[in-house]
Amino acid sequence: MESVLSKCENQITIFTDYLEEFPDTDELVWILGKQHLLKTEKSKLLSDISARLWFTYRRKFSPIGGTGPSSDAGWGCMLRCGQMMLAQALICRHLGRDWNWEKQKEQPKEYQRILQCFLDRKDCCYSIHQMAQMGVGEGKSIGEWFGPNTVAQVLKKLALFDEWNSLAVYVSMDNTVVIEDIKKMCCVLPLSVDTADESISDSLTASNHSKGTSAFSLAWKPLLLIVPLRLGINQINPVYVDAFKVSCFFPKPIASCPSHRHVSTEIREQQSTSDELIFLDPHTTQTFVDTEENGMVDDQTFHCQQPPQRMNILNLDPSVALGFFCKEEKDFDNWCSLVQKEILKENLRMFELVQKHPSHWPPFVPPAKPEVTTTGAEFIDSTEQLEDFDLEEDFEILSV
C-alpha cells in the first residue's frame, strides 16, 4: 500500500503558476453554466466557487471494510471528484443552482442532509467507504485508483439505494447518449400510482398503450447524465477544445472529472477567448469530520476558501467524464437540442447523441436496486454483498 501511495503522490502536479490574481479584463467567466463578468463581479465569482462542496483526501476515518485503509491519500482523488460531481447535482436538485453558501451562516436543512450523505463513514450512502467497496464490483481493489468511468458506474449503483434524493444516474457507453434509454429510465409512474395496487398500474399502462396518448402524466426522475470520454492519447487533442468549451456554457453542467495524475477539475471556467479552467483540487489531505452532538456537521473544510487555481485545457488528462443535471424533462430536451446545435456540428465529435437504442447493443434495462438483506446506505458491509451487481468494463473509447 505504501508503494502505491508514494507512486500516486509523485504523479501529482502542483500548478503554482495558476494561483495568480484573475486578470482585469471584460471577459465573461462561466462557472457550471452560470456566467460572471470578471471585471465587475469578481466577488460574486469567488463566492460562487467557494459555495461548491469540496471533497478532498481525508485521514483518521474508520478503516474501510473494518481492516482496510483509514485514509484515501494518494488513491481517492477520483472518488472525491465523483463526490463533488454528485454533490453539485444534489444541491441543484434540492436548493437550486442559485443557492449560495456563506461562512458560519445557518443553511437549509437539505444542505446539511446532503453533506451528511458524503461523510467518511460506512453508513453514509456516498462515503469513501461505500464507493471503495462498490468499486470491488467494478474490478477495483480497495485502495486502488479509479478511472472516471469506474467512478461513474459506482455512483450509478449507489444511487439505487438513495431513496431520499431519488436520482437517476445514466452513464453513456461507447461515447453514445441514447435518448430513448434515458426517457425509459427517468419517466416513471407518479408516487400515488406507483404505490397503488399493481392491477391499477397495469390497467393504466394498458389503457395508455391502447389509446396512444397518456392516460396519466408520468413523473420525471431527476437525472445526472455522465458522459465518460477519451479525448486523446497522452493529452487532449486540440480538435476537441471548442466542443469542450461549449459544454461549459450549457445551462446545467455539473463537472468535468479528468483522470490520472493531473489535478482533477470540478469547477469549470471558460472565458470566451481563453482556454483556461478554474478547478477544485482534491489533492489536499484533511482530518476526518463527523457529525457533532447536535447532529450538525462543521462544514468549514468542505468549502474551498482559498484563491481558486487555474490551468489550460490542454493540460487536462484526456480521460474525462462530463456531467450534466436535468431536474425536469424539459431540461433534458433542452440539453439534447443544445448538443445537436453546438456539439454534433463538429466533424470530429466528442460524443454521439442518438434517438433510438442501437439494434446491435444488448436490450436496455433500467437499473434497479438488487435484493439485499439491508436497505439504504448500510447495504455494503463487506465485498460479499457485491455479488448482486454485474461487473462492467471500464468504457473509455478512443475516438481519434
Side-chain angles (χ1 to χ4, degrees):
M1 176 61 71
E2 290 182 358
S3 61
V4 174
L5 296 181
S6 175
K7 180 180 178 182
C8 291
E9 288 291 356
N10 288 337
Q11 290 178 331
I12 296 171
T13 303
I14 306 300
F15 294 96
T16 55
D17 293 341
Y18 300 101
L19 288 173
E20 76 264 13
E21 186 67 25
F22 285 113
D24 188 17
T25 72
D26 293 325
E27 298 288 352
L28 287 174
V29 179
W30 294 79
I31 301 295
L32 302 178
K34 187 174 182 179
Q35 69 179 30
H36 301 274
L37 185 59
L38 186 57
K39 192 168 187 177
T40 60
E41 299 178 330
K42 190 176 298 184
S43 61
K44 290 183 179 180
L45 165 66
L46 297 174
S47 177
D48 194 8
I49 295 172
S50 65
R52 304 312 111 207
L53 282 174
W54 178 46
F55 297 111
T56 70
Y57 293 148
R58 295 279 174 170
R59 61 177 179 270
K60 297 184 179 180
F61 49 69
S62 61
I64 298 175
T67 58
S70 58
S71 172
D72 64 311
W75 60 270
C77 49
M78 279 306 305
L79 282 73
R80 298 303 184 178
C81 286
Q83 288 180 327
M84 286 191 274
M85 175 183 281
L86 181 58
Q88 179 62 18
L90 299 183
I91 290 292
C92 291
R93 162 92 165 85
H94 296 287
L95 302 176
R97 176 60 184 88
D98 292 331
W99 169 83
N100 213 341
W101 175 84
E102 293 183 28
K103 188 175 181 179
Q104 297 180 337
K105 179 181 178 181
E106 184 177 355
Q107 297 295 337
K109 61 180 180 180
E110 292 87 355
Y111 164 79
Q112 276 285 329
R113 192 168 179 180
I114 291 170
L115 184 55
Q116 290 173 11
C117 291
F118 297 92
L119 296 183
D120 300 315
R121 301 184 341 201
K122 70 175 184 179
D123 60 342
C124 296
C125 52
Y126 302 115
S127 66
I128 195 76
H129 298 66
Q130 297 287 5
M131 294 184 70
Q133 294 196 138
M134 184 62 81
V136 175
E138 297 293 324
K140 298 292 185 180
S141 301
I142 293 175
E144 184 178 354
W145 182 87
F146 285 25
N149 184 72
T150 303
V151 171
Q153 299 293 346
V154 164
L155 293 178
K156 180 179 73 173
K157 292 175 177 178
L158 289 176
L160 299 175
F161 295 84
D162 181 10
E163 296 181 358
W164 175 61
N165 289 302
S166 187
L167 194 69
V169 179
Y170 176 89
V171 183
S172 67
M173 187 175 73
D174 288 357
N175 290 6
T176 304
V177 176
V178 182
I179 296 174
E180 179 183 48
D181 294 347
I182 291 177
K183 296 272 187 173
K184 185 182 295 185
M185 181 173 65
C186 293
C187 292
V188 297
L189 290 173
L191 184 62
S192 58
V193 175
D194 193 38
T195 56
D197 185 85
E198 290 186 4
S199 60
I200 299 177
S201 177
D202 292 341
S203 64
L204 283 171
T205 303
S207 174
N208 180 38
H209 285 304
S210 64
K211 293 179 180 179
T213 57
S214 295
F216 57 95
S217 296
L218 292 174
W220 176 265
K221 193 172 187 179
L223 168 70
L224 171 56
L225 169 58
I226 305 177
V227 186
L229 300 170
R230 183 82 186 189
L231 302 179
I233 301 177
N234 297 318
Q235 64 179 24
I236 287 185
N237 190 319
V239 300
Y240 292 119
V241 168
D242 286 343
F244 188 93
K245 289 161 60 175
V246 166
S247 68
C248 300
F249 304 155
F250 282 17
K252 299 290 183 179
I254 297 299
S256 168
C257 286
S259 169
H260 221 46
R261 62 185 177 273
H262 289 291
V263 174
S264 301
T265 302
E266 176 64 20
I267 298 296
R268 301 179 301 166
E269 168 265 345
Q270 185 50 57
Q271 301 178 17
S272 58
T273 59
S274 171
D275 290 334
E276 283 193 339
L277 306 172
I278 291 175
F279 61 92
L280 292 183
D281 184 0
H283 299 107
T284 296
T285 305
Q286 303 186 89
T287 303
F288 161 67
V289 172
D290 204 350
T291 52
E292 300 176 342
E293 292 184 1
N294 61 3
M296 305 294 282
V297 178
D298 184 352
D299 63 354
Q300 299 300 305
T301 61
F302 293 99
H303 294 272
C304 184
Q305 301 171 59
Q306 304 168 355
Q309 301 184 51
R310 292 148 52 203
M311 66 185 298
N312 190 281
I313 290 178
L314 294 178
N315 287 333
L316 289 176
D317 191 285
S319 181
V320 302
L322 301 179
F324 303 89
F325 176 67
C326 302
K327 185 175 182 178
E328 300 177 359
E329 186 173 8
K330 64 182 180 180
D331 295 330
F332 176 64
D333 293 338
N334 183 43
W335 181 85
C336 292
S337 297
L338 287 171
V339 168
Q340 293 280 1
K341 180 180 178 181
E342 302 293 343
I343 292 181
L344 299 187
K345 66 180 181 181
E346 302 293 336
N347 291 329
L348 196 57
R349 303 169 177 176
M350 284 201 305
F351 59 89
E352 296 290 340
L353 176 67
V354 299
Q355 184 68 46
K356 296 294 184 180
H357 185 85
S359 58
H360 61 281
W361 284 12
F364 176 76
V365 179
K369 182 172 67 174
E371 295 295 329
V372 292
T373 55
T374 59
T375 59
E378 300 176 344
F379 77 100
I380 302 179
D381 287 323
S382 70
T383 56
E384 296 177 359
Q385 291 178 280
L386 295 168
E387 296 176 356
D388 290 304
F389 290 104
D390 295 327
L391 184 65
E392 298 188 44
E393 293 184 28
D394 196 23
F395 291 101
E396 292 178 350
I397 307 301
L398 184 66
S399 58
V400 290

